[in-house]
Amino acid sequence: MTEKNPWANKIEMGQKGDALLDLFDSVCIARLRQVVEWSLEEMWAIKDSSEITDVMWEDYAELEADVLAAKRLLEYFGASTIGDKENG
């Protein structure tokens, strides 16, 4: 039986950690894209409303802040706002 190089073991663990981080990043990106999509839908629904109340404008402002924050985080991850169906 041959001994395994301790450095190879560390590299293998690092690769597993990288794969886990890639998965985590992918989940975050997907969720951020949902935040953008759903927030924009709600914003459009508010704007399309025949009578907009002050509370609705407050909701609109919060939704707009959510969209901007999500877009900044997507930019940080190097991802687009809209998901590519083939490349995720």
Side-chain angles (χ1 to χ4, degrees):
M1 186 178 233
T2 61
E3 275 190 46
K4 196 169 189 179
N5 182 341
W7 290 106
N9 207 13
K10 287 182 182 181
I11 290 172
E12 189 176 302
M13 290 303 290
Q15 289 172 341
K16 287 180 183 177
D18 289 346
L20 184 61
L21 287 175
D22 288 345
L23 175 65
F24 180 73
D25 288 354
S26 296
V27 170
C28 288
I29 289 168
R31 182 64 181 117
L32 288 167
R33 286 178 175 154
Q34 286 178 336
V35 168
V36 170
E37 181 182 348
W38 294 342
S39 296
L40 288 174
E41 287 175 4
E42 289 297 316
M43 290 168 68
W44 291 325
I46 290 171
K47 278 197 158 187
D48 289 343
S49 181
S50 60
E51 196 173 311
I52 302 175
T53 65
D54 290 340
V55 173
M56 291 169 78
W57 279 122
E58 289 173 14
D59 289 344
Y60 185 92
E62 288 179 17
L63 290 164
E64 187 174 35
D66 290 346
V67 168
L68 293 175
K71 284 183 176 183
R72 281 194 301 271
L73 285 168
L74 284 167
E75 185 178 310
Y76 170 80
F77 281 112
S80 66
T81 303
I82 305 301
D84 183 354
K85 298 287 183 202
E86 292 176 6
N87 297 322

